[in-house]
Amino acid sequence: MKLTKDMLDNGGVLRSLIQLFNKKQDMNSFMMVFQCLRDSYVYVPCVLSIEGEVQNGIFDYDALDHDLEIIIKPDFLYTNDGIKYFPTFSCSELIPIEDNKDMSALRRHFLDVIDWADFSKDVEGILVDAFTDMFVCEKSMYDTVKQMNSLVDEDIVLN
């Protein structure tokens, strides 16, 4: 079945597939999560500074004025053992930015997030929805996700 971008837009499909995987713990549901991630946009918590002013809110990375000075510092999460993860969230409502006036979130395509996480030093994986039903895309799986074919077909309209 082909998907539309609208079906993936709010992260509901991704959250459902992660819940299914966390319940079943089988290879089929594991790969369905990866297939959905491959076509999804997620939200990355970060400190965002535009022209020297720290921002607070949700921003679409592609809509930022890249002619301005923009500094982005991801907000990494660490386990008790010191393992470093690159956090993402399936929807903006799950990000606890209201607790921190210096925190923002950037909406990015998951394939871009893979590149960003891979570039970041000592990151073991990308953590999706850390504070609810979480899922970890380990660094060893980045290439698998990147090589998957998209299931999104913008020409299909569901009635």
Side-chain angles (χ1 to χ4, degrees):
M1 174 182 156
K2 295 242 181 202
L3 299 171
T4 65
K5 285 184 180 182
D6 288 342
M7 291 170 68
L8 299 176
D9 193 41
N10 72 354
V13 172
L14 178 58
R15 284 190 303 283
S16 294
L17 290 173
I18 289 172
Q19 287 173 350
L20 179 66
F21 168 71
N22 287 338
K23 182 178 177 183
K24 287 184 152 189
Q25 296 287 314
D26 67 344
M27 185 55 75
N28 187 45
S29 57
F30 183 68
M31 294 309 292
M32 287 190 327
V33 172
F34 281 132
Q35 185 64 62
C36 188
L37 281 171
R38 187 264 171 253
D39 288 323
S40 291
Y41 279 83
V42 293
Y43 294 85
V44 178
C46 61
V47 175
L48 173 64
S49 175
I50 300 176
E51 294 289 315
E53 289 199 29
V54 175
Q55 306 295 307
N56 178 257
I58 308 293
F59 299 88
D60 188 328
Y61 179 83
D62 296 331
L64 293 176
D65 183 349
H66 294 280
D67 291 333
L68 300 175
E69 178 190 21
I70 298 173
I71 299 172
I72 303 167
K73 295 179 185 172
D75 186 39
F76 299 105
L77 290 177
Y78 295 84
T79 66
N80 291 338
D81 300 334
I83 298 171
K84 183 179 179 181
Y85 287 101
F86 196 100
T88 64
F89 293 88
S90 58
C91 69
S92 61
E93 291 82 18
L94 295 177
I95 305 166
I97 63 169
E98 67 279 349
D99 299 335
N100 186 342
K101 67 178 179 78
D102 294 335
M103 184 66 62
S104 288
L106 286 178
R107 184 175 186 264
R108 296 291 314 258
H109 195 279
F110 193 77
L111 295 180
D112 295 328
V113 172
I114 286 175
D115 292 338
W116 196 0
D118 202 25
F119 180 76
S120 301
K121 186 177 180 184
D122 300 325
V123 169
E124 295 296 320
I126 300 169
L127 182 59
V128 181
D129 292 343
F131 308 120
T132 55
D133 284 317
M134 74 174 152
F135 181 84
V136 176
C137 178
E138 299 288 344
K139 191 172 194 164
S140 62
M141 296 302 293
Y142 292 174
D143 285 338
T144 301
V145 176
K146 288 167 74 171
Q147 292 171 6
M148 291 178 151
N149 292 325
S150 175
L151 294 182
V152 172
D153 183 356
E154 296 181 60
D155 295 330
I156 293 178
V157 177
L158 300 178
N159 294 323

